Amino acid sequence: MISSKLPKMFYGGDYNPEQWDHETHIEDLRMFQLAGIDIATINVFSWALIQPDEVTYRFEELDQLINRLYENGVYICLATSTAAHPAWMAKKYPDVLRVDADGRKRKFGGRHNSCPNSPTYRKYSEKIADKLAERYKDHPAVLVWHISNEYGGECYCENCEKAFRVYLKERYQTLEQVNKAWNTNFWGHTFYDWDEIVLPSNLSEHWGNNNSTFQGISLDYSRFNSDSMLDCYRFEYDAIKKHIPDSVVTTNLMGFFKQLDYFKWAKYLDIVSWDSYPGLATPVSFTAMAHDLMRGLKDGQPFMLMEQTPSQQNWQPYNSLKRPGVMRLWSYQSVAHGADTIMFFQLRRSIGACEKYHGAVIEHAGHENTRVFREVAELGKELQILGDTTLDASVESKVAIVFDWDNWWAIEKSSGPTVALNYVDQIHKYYAAFFRRNIQVDIVSVDTDISKYDIVLAPVLYMVKPGFAAKLEKYVEAGGTFLTTFFSGIVNENDLVTTGGYPGELRKLLGIWVEEIDALLPEQKNSIVLKEAYGDLEGEYGCGMLCDLLHSEGAEVIAEYGDDFYKGMPVVTRNTFGQGDAWYVASDPDERFLDGLLGQLAAAKNVESLLETPEGVEVSARTKDGKPYLFVMNHNATTQSYDLGTAKAHDLLTNRELSGSVEIEARGVQLLEMK
C-alpha cells in the first residue's frame, strides 16, 4: 500500500485554501469529515506565497494548514509548488521565460511558463523542494510528495538550443554521426560545427504542429524536450530523497499525453499518478485504456488517480455535467484498472480566474446540500467499508499492446502517406475489440518482458528499435501470437528507412514483402474478402485509409483486397514462425472485422472473457492473495442483466449474495468476491 498510516484507498483531492479566508477553511474541515475526505493535495501553486523574493521563505501559513488538516483526520500530499514561477523571478531573471515555436518570448503569466533549461528555474525549483523536504521530513501528516504539476509544453530559447547541442553530443558523440542519423545530405543540411545546429521550430524545420522537413531532427527535439523536463523533475526528486530516502514521490501525468515519454519518466516515479478527464462523449474503452497505460508504465504496479472532476470540467468545448452515478462509476472504473486512490480536482470551487467553473466537491453554494456533495459523501462511506480489500491487488492480463512514444512522434511528424493516420486511435481500435469482450489488456513498452503474454499486438509499428525485431521473433518462436498492421517496420530509431523492402526487420517474422502503400481519400473504401471462413469471420468487410500492396513470402493469405487494381492481393496474412504465428493486417479494417479476428485469436489461445455481459457493461478484475475481485460496471442509462452461470459471488458494495441471472442498475457498480 502507499502508506501504512492510511491503510485504505486514499480519498480526497486538490485543495487551495490560500484562495479563501480562515472561516471558510474551518467550514471546509467540517465538510471534509462529512464526505470521508482523508487526504488533500496542497501547495500546488503557492510558490509566490512561500517565496516573495530570492532569499525569503515563509512557511508559517503552510505549517498551520498542514497541522489543522492533520488534526482533523486529513493527511497530506505535499506539492513542491514549482508548476508556476513567481512574477518577481520572471522580472529579474527573464531566462525563466519560454520562447514559443515562432520565436516569441513569453511574458509572465499562465502556468507551465518556465523554460526547462533555465539555470534560474532549475536553481530555485530545486532549492524550494529541498527546503520543503527538510522542513516536513518528520511530519506525520505527509504521505506523498507531489512535484510540480502536469508537466508539459515546449521551449525554443537560446538556453534550450545550447542544451540541445549538449544532448546531441552525448547521444551521437560526433557530428559525423549526427549527419548520418539525420540524413543531412538531403537539402544541403550537412553540419560542420555544433553551433550550426538550431532547434527545429517554425523558424527552421517546422510549419505547424505535425509538419517537419527533417523528421530526424524533430524526433530528437521531442526526445530532448521530454528529457529536459524530466531533468527538472529529477532535481526536485533528488532534493526530497536527500532528506527523506523512503518518501513516496510522484508527479501527475496525463494519460496519452504526446509531449512526454512517460515510460522513461516512470523510472523516476515511486508511484505513477495521473489526472483523468474524459468528456461526456469519450468512449469508456478509451478511458479504460488510459488507466491501463498508467498501470503499464511500471509493469503493472497500482497507480494513483490524482485528479478527476466530481462534476464537470471547464476547459473542454462542451463541459457537460457527469450524470447522477457517473462519478462513482468512473471512480470504480479507475480502481478496477489499478488505481489505489480516488482523488478530485478540486475540493472547493474557485471564485475567480479560469477554473472558477471547474467542478468541485464543495460547490459555490458552499454547503453540503448539493447533488455532487451527496454523491461524494456516499462514495466516501463505501470506501471506508472496503478498507484495504483491493489495495495492492494486481490486474492479470494475457494480452498486451505495445505503445511507444518515439513511434508516436515519428509517425505524426512523417510527411505522408496520409494525414488521417492517428497512432493513438489505431491503438484504441485494437484495444476496444478486447474491451468489448471483457478481456483485460496490458499497455506495455518495447522494453517490457512480453514472454508472459499469450497475445501481443503492436499496431502501426512504424519504428523498429534496436533488438525489438529479434525480441518479437523469440516470442513468436516460443509459441506466442503476434499481430501488427500496415505502416509497420518502415524505419529505425532515427526515422531512417530500412531499405530492402517493407516491413524491414519484421519481414522474416511476418513472411511478407510490402511493395507499395496506397493512401485512400476519406470517402474511398476498399474491402477485405476472406478466402474461406475463419471462425466467425466470413465474406466481405470494409477497410480504408491505407492499403499495403504486399506479396507473401511464405505467409498464409487469410484475406484479399476486393477492389481497385490490387484486387486479389493479400490484405490479411498469418505466418507460422517456430511454435507461434505472426499476423499482418495490411489496411484499416472496420470494427466488425476486428471483433471477429481478435475474437478468434483469443479463442485459439484460450484467452477467455472474464464474464459475458451486454454491450456497455464492463468487467475488469483485480487479484489479491490469489483471490479475484470482479468489478462489474454498467455504463448504460438503463438496467442491464447478465448471467453468472454456475458461479456464485458476494457483492461487497451491497453485502448481497449473487448467483444465476443478475441485474445491475443503470450506471451501477458491483464488486464481486467470487466464491
Side-chain angles (χ1 to χ4, degrees):
M1 61 185 65
I2 303 170
S3 174
S4 59
K5 295 179 181 178
L6 187 54
K8 62 172 286 292
M9 196 167 299
F10 290 8
Y11 193 52
D14 192 278
Y15 185 44
N16 302 285
E18 64 273 14
Q19 299 176 19
W20 301 91
D21 57 27
H22 179 72
E23 290 71 22
T24 302
H25 169 55
I26 298 304
E27 175 66 358
D28 289 344
L29 296 177
R30 180 188 72 84
M31 294 179 68
F32 290 170
Q33 290 183 344
L34 293 178
I37 298 298
D38 49 37
I39 191 163
T41 302
I42 61 171
N43 200 49
V44 176
F45 291 107
S46 301
W47 198 351
L49 291 177
I50 290 176
Q51 188 179 4
D53 56 47
E54 288 178 278
V55 297
T56 306
Y57 291 87
R58 302 188 301 205
F59 293 110
E60 293 76 18
E61 290 187 9
L62 185 57
D63 291 344
Q64 294 169 15
L65 173 61
I66 292 174
N67 289 334
R68 276 196 301 269
L69 286 165
Y70 184 55
E71 289 162 5
N72 284 270
V74 181
Y75 287 92
I76 304 300
C77 174
L78 185 56
T80 58
S81 78
T82 53
H85 56 246
W88 64 260
M89 192 180 296
K91 179 182 178 182
K92 189 167 185 178
Y93 300 103
D95 68 282
V96 303
L97 298 168
R98 292 183 179 179
V99 171
D100 70 15
D102 293 316
R104 298 171 300 189
K105 192 172 186 67
R106 285 187 57 115
K107 293 189 176 183
F108 174 77
R111 64 176 195 178
H112 301 309
N113 54 1
S114 307
C115 166
N117 289 291
S118 158
T120 302
Y121 175 75
R122 290 189 171 192
K123 171 185 173 181
Y124 285 109
S125 61
E126 180 183 14
K127 193 170 183 178
I128 195 169
D130 179 86
K131 286 185 174 294
L132 286 163
E134 183 178 29
R135 189 175 190 90
Y136 299 111
K137 63 183 178 182
D138 297 319
H139 202 296
V142 180
L143 303 187
V144 177
W145 288 84
H146 181 324
I147 293 176
S148 190
N149 184 77
E150 293 184 338
Y151 280 94
E154 297 172 332
C155 183
Y156 299 87
C157 72
E158 289 185 4
N159 280 327
C160 287
E161 195 157 82
K162 292 175 183 176
F164 184 52
R165 294 168 187 148
V166 173
Y167 170 86
L168 295 173
K169 288 179 183 178
E170 292 175 351
R171 180 175 177 84
Y172 294 108
Q173 304 298 312
T174 67
L175 272 173
E176 182 182 12
Q177 288 301 314
V178 172
N179 285 320
K180 181 179 179 182
W182 291 352
N183 193 38
T184 56
N185 285 345
F186 178 78
W187 281 9
H189 268 50
T190 304
F191 297 107
Y192 296 98
D193 190 283
W194 290 102
D195 287 345
E196 294 171 1
I197 297 174
V198 299
L199 291 172
S201 70
N202 291 340
L203 301 178
S204 55
E205 308 297 352
H206 292 174
W207 66 101
N209 290 328
N210 280 328
N211 297 284
S212 173
T213 53
F214 268 81
Q215 287 80 43
I217 300 176
S218 301
L219 176 61
D220 273 335
Y221 172 76
S222 293
R223 290 167 171 153
F224 159 77
N225 185 59
S226 177
D227 286 357
S228 295
M229 293 191 193
L230 177 56
D231 285 344
C232 291
Y233 168 87
R234 291 180 63 187
F235 282 126
E236 295 189 47
Y237 179 92
D238 291 342
I240 295 168
K241 289 291 184 178
K242 180 179 71 175
H243 296 286
I244 323 168
D246 61 348
S247 55
V248 178
V249 184
T250 190
T251 189
N252 46 341
L253 310 182
M254 293 176 285
F256 287 92
F257 181 68
K258 190 174 182 180
Q259 290 176 347
L260 305 182
D261 183 347
Y262 283 160
F263 277 113
K264 185 177 287 188
W265 277 65
K267 298 173 184 177
Y268 305 99
L269 274 63
D270 296 324
I271 187 169
V272 167
S273 68
W274 86 288
D275 301 344
S276 178
Y277 288 109
L280 189 66
T282 303
V284 292
S285 56
F286 190 91
T287 307
M289 182 176 73
H291 288 310
D292 288 344
L293 173 65
M294 295 297 101
R295 187 183 73 248
L297 293 179
K298 290 186 78 69
D299 293 325
Q301 293 182 25
F303 58 87
M304 295 180 69
L305 177 64
M306 184 67 80
E307 290 184 20
Q308 65 168 345
T309 177
S311 55
Q312 65 189 147
Q313 284 91 242
N314 70 299
W315 45 267
Q316 294 184 350
Y318 306 98
N319 294 290
S320 305
L321 287 170
K322 287 182 177 177
R323 272 40 189 172
V326 169
M327 182 278 292
R328 174 178 179 265
L329 172 64
W330 289 0
S331 295
Y332 276 117
Q333 185 190 40
S334 73
V335 177
H337 288 268
D340 275 356
T341 72
I342 296 173
M343 299 169 69
F344 302 104
F345 181 87
Q346 47 194 329
L347 294 186
R348 177 179 277 273
R349 190 182 282 222
S350 305
I351 60 169
C354 65
E355 289 178 337
K356 63 181 177 291
Y357 297 125
H358 193 295
V361 172
I362 303 171
E363 296 284 5
H364 284 149
H367 54 66
E368 64 265 39
N369 301 311
T370 66
R371 174 183 69 88
V372 172
F373 189 89
R374 284 193 296 271
E375 289 194 23
V376 170
E378 288 166 4
L379 179 55
K381 290 176 183 176
E382 282 187 350
L383 297 181
Q384 291 286 348
I385 294 170
L386 283 176
D388 65 351
T389 301
T390 63
L391 290 189
D392 297 326
S394 61
V395 176
E396 298 180 354
S397 306
K398 296 182 178 181
V399 178
I401 296 179
V402 176
F403 186 85
D404 183 62
W405 260 268
D406 284 333
N407 193 51
W408 188 4
W409 294 330
I411 286 171
E412 295 185 13
K413 278 285 196 289
S414 175
S415 56
T418 175
V419 297
L421 179 55
N422 181 294
Y423 179 52
V424 175
D425 285 352
Q426 288 299 312
I427 297 290
H428 179 235
K429 282 189 72 166
Y430 284 80
Y431 177 93
F434 288 111
F435 178 87
R436 287 188 289 268
R437 292 178 176 270
N438 293 324
I439 292 175
Q440 298 187 139
V441 175
D442 286 349
I443 308 295
V444 303
S445 78
V446 295
D447 297 322
T448 301
D449 179 7
I450 57 176
S451 62
K452 67 178 180 179
Y453 298 105
D454 292 331
I455 301 171
V456 173
L457 294 84
V460 199
L461 188 61
Y462 170 71
M463 176 185 291
V464 180
K465 291 182 173 178
F468 193 56
K471 184 176 184 176
L472 291 172
E473 289 179 5
K474 182 179 179 182
Y475 165 76
V476 176
E477 197 168 35
T481 292
F482 172 69
L483 181 146
T484 190
T485 71
F486 60 92
F487 209 49
S488 290
I490 309 293
V491 300
N492 66 8
E493 75 277 14
N494 296 318
D495 201 30
L496 296 177
V497 170
T498 302
T499 57
Y502 313 138
E505 291 185 66
L506 303 177
R507 188 168 168 180
K508 176 183 174 184
L509 173 63
L510 296 167
I512 59 169
W513 166 49
V514 176
E515 183 178 357
E516 297 181 88
I517 304 171
D518 189 21
L520 305 189
L521 300 176
E523 63 271 17
Q524 289 181 303
K525 294 293 178 185
N526 207 307
S527 60
I528 296 172
V529 181
L530 273 294
K531 294 191 70 175
E532 58 183 54
Y534 180 70
D536 294 334
L537 287 172
E538 59 180 346
E540 189 171 320
Y541 300 83
C543 66
M545 187 167 62
L546 288 178
C547 297
D548 286 350
L549 280 60
L550 64 89
H551 308 275
S552 171
E553 294 183 324
E556 176 188 1
V557 178
I558 303 297
E560 299 172 338
Y561 287 110
D563 299 295
D564 219 316
F565 73 92
Y566 41 93
K567 177 180 179 179
M569 292 187 74
V571 63
V572 179
T573 61
R574 175 180 61 190
N575 190 44
T576 300
F577 193 88
Q579 299 178 48
D581 50 4
W583 290 75
Y584 193 77
V585 180
S587 186
D588 184 32
D590 62 28
E591 185 179 291
R592 284 190 317 123
F593 179 80
L594 273 189
D595 276 343
L597 176 61
L598 299 186
Q600 290 303 312
L601 297 189
K605 303 295 289 188
N606 295 315
V607 177
E608 299 179 349
S609 300
L610 291 168
L611 200 63
E612 298 290 338
T613 58
E615 183 179 354
V617 178
E618 175 188 358
V619 182
S620 190
R622 292 182 69 175
T623 301
K624 184 175 181 179
D625 299 328
K627 181 184 293 185
Y629 295 90
L630 261 62
F631 293 78
V632 184
M633 297 158 283
N634 182 10
H635 295 281
N636 298 292
T638 57
T639 298
Q640 301 290 316
S641 61
Y642 62 91
D643 198 332
L644 280 172
T646 58
K648 294 185 178 181
H650 176 70
D651 182 3
L652 296 175
L653 302 180
T654 61
N655 200 28
R656 289 190 303 148
E657 302 299 322
L658 303 178
S659 62
S661 181
V662 178
E663 283 195 345
I664 181 168
E665 65 183 359
R667 301 186 176 114
V669 179
Q670 294 169 344
L671 176 49
L672 306 184
E673 182 179 15
M674 304 307 294
K675 300 294 186 180

